[in-house]
Amino acid sequence: MSTIPTTGEKTAATVAKNYLRQFKGWQLISLRVNDSDPRATDQEQLEHTRAISELKARQHIVTAVGKVDQASGIILDQRFIKRRRTKTTLAELAANHYQITEGNFYHRQRKALLMAYKLMH
């Protein structure tokens, strides 16, 4: 039985992955306008504020997952926020005393994405 009531696990993991990957785009939008720029239009300020809110929402999800399972939080942060490769993420996990094989890594990544999906809804 699926732990995700509204959709299949594969779809839920994909939705969470896409949501977290949007971090970089929101980060770029947030950098367009400086908070103290008096020349910024209202629309630019609104976009900046929304971008900051979206960034915080994604960071909050990664932090919340990390509190439940630190390895899952590291995986989400490295893979989808910082956009690091699998080998780099495995090295970061090893630096935090998590010895995960590459074969088991994808299972753990899916678990982390499902945890993130639950927090998104």
Side-chain angles (χ1 to χ4, degrees), residues 17-32 51 54-56 58-59 77 79-84:
K17 184 186 301 185
N18 291 336
Y19 178 78
L20 293 172
R21 280 186 174 163
Q22 293 171 353
F23 185 88
K24 185 71 170 175
W26 287 115
Q27 190 175 41
L28 293 173
I29 291 170
S30 75
L31 295 173
R32 286 184 194 159
E54 292 289 343
L55 289 171
K56 286 180 181 179
R58 284 157 178 80
Q59 289 172 330
D77 180 56
R79 293 285 289 151
F80 305 109
I81 301 299
K82 295 179 180 171
R83 299 230 177 157
R84 303 255 167 85

Side-chain angles (χ1 to χ4, degrees), residues 50-107:
R50 178 161 183 231
I52 296 297
S53 174
E54 292 289 343
L55 289 171
K56 286 180 181 179
R58 284 157 178 80
Q59 289 172 330
H60 175 72
I61 287 173
V62 171
T63 302
V65 169
K67 286 181 181 176
V68 174
D69 179 19
Q70 186 181 14
S72 293
I74 291 169
I75 290 169
L76 293 178
D77 180 56
Q78 293 290 309
R79 293 285 289 151
F80 305 109
I81 301 299
K82 295 179 180 171
R83 299 230 177 157
R84 303 255 167 85
R85 295 179 16 207
T86 301
K87 290 189 187 268
T88 307
T89 304
L90 286 169
E92 182 66 26
L93 287 164
N96 284 283
H97 309 293
Y98 292 101
Q99 298 301 322
I100 299 173
T101 64
E102 192 168 343
N104 191 32
F105 174 79
Y106 295 104
H107 169 72

Side-chain angles (χ1 to χ4, degrees), residues 29-47:
I29 291 170
S30 75
L31 295 173
R32 286 184 194 159
V33 175
N34 186 345
D35 286 335
S36 61
D37 185 1
R39 297 173 298 180
T41 65
D42 288 342
Q43 179 65 29
E44 289 172 332
Q45 286 291 350
L46 189 63
E47 285 178 1

